[in-house]
Amino acid sequence: LEISRLFLNFERNALTKAFLTGLCQTTETKEIKDFFHRVRHMCEKHMDIVGAEFKKEDLPIPMSLDSEVTDSTENVFSDKLAMFYVVGLNQLAVAVNGITLSRVMRRDILLTITRLMTEIGNCAEDGLNIMIENRWFERIPENINRNELIGV
């Protein structure tokens, strides 16, 4: 069971990394390109971590999808749409890893997945902040800070 969940994790990261490679090649806005590059690097790191689990169990490491990305530099998606896709993929990663946590019994894998989820969550928050700054997304409603209102 653990290996099947890790395999799905690896495949999701490989697909996301390939998608982000294409976006990095075509996005022109520096801040957004830097964010995509950061998420792409995170996927690569997560693939290495999960791949190490396969190696430790003497199992073959799944292939990446890097060879599937073309050399095109023509922009297909607007920055806004691309950001929605990437932030959505980050949210999906947190959800899938949450399901993995509920089904895995090995402590070492639980700790690894928890660590990966923390990094994904931080990255997703940064993506949402970029979207809010560009007015593509509204700030999430927050509780009223009474101390701020009364000047404490």
Side-chain angles (χ1 to χ4, degrees):
L1 183 64
E2 285 88 0
I3 297 303
S4 66
R5 300 307 306 174
L6 288 176
F7 178 80
L8 290 173
N9 187 304
F10 188 97
E11 287 294 304
R12 184 190 41 74
N13 274 302
L15 183 61
T16 302
K17 181 185 170 212
F19 181 62
L20 284 161
T21 299
L23 290 177
C24 286
Q25 289 175 193
T26 60
T27 302
E28 294 177 8
T29 307
K30 181 176 177 8
E31 179 185 29
I32 294 171
K33 184 181 272 199
D34 290 346
F35 174 71
F36 290 164
H37 182 71
R38 178 177 159 214
V39 177
R40 182 181 173 277
H41 179 70
M42 180 184 67
C43 288
E44 188 171 12
K45 183 175 114 181
H46 290 192
M47 288 168 62
D48 290 343
I49 291 168
V50 172
E53 291 294 329
F54 282 101
K55 192 171 185 174
K56 188 167 63 175
E57 298 293 328
D58 201 26
L59 295 168
I61 298 171
M63 292 179 55
S64 73
L65 300 171
D66 294 344
S67 62
E68 302 298 321
V69 181
T70 68
D71 61 353
S72 174
T73 57
E74 186 176 331
N75 197 346
V76 179
F77 301 116
S78 67
D79 288 349
K80 180 179 180 179
L81 183 60
M83 283 296 297
F84 268 99
Y85 281 144
V86 173
V87 169
L89 286 170
N90 281 338
Q91 293 167 339
L92 176 66
V94 171
V96 169
N97 282 327
I99 292 168
T100 299
L101 286 176
S102 71
R103 297 193 176 152
V104 170
M105 300 296 171
R106 286 180 43 187
R107 183 181 307 156
D108 60 333
I109 293 177
L110 289 171
L111 291 172
T112 298
I113 296 299
T114 302
R115 192 180 81 217
L116 300 181
M117 282 181 69
T118 302
E119 191 174 357
I120 295 166
N122 290 337
C123 206
E125 181 182 10
D126 293 344
L128 279 175
N129 287 335
I130 291 171
M131 292 174 67
I132 290 167
E133 288 170 13
N134 285 290
R135 297 183 181 212
W136 299 331
F137 197 81
E138 290 185 19
R139 181 160 300 285
I140 298 167
E142 300 172 350
N143 289 332
I144 298 170
N145 185 340
R146 300 289 176 193
N147 289 331
E148 187 179 294
L149 287 176
I150 61 176
V152 175

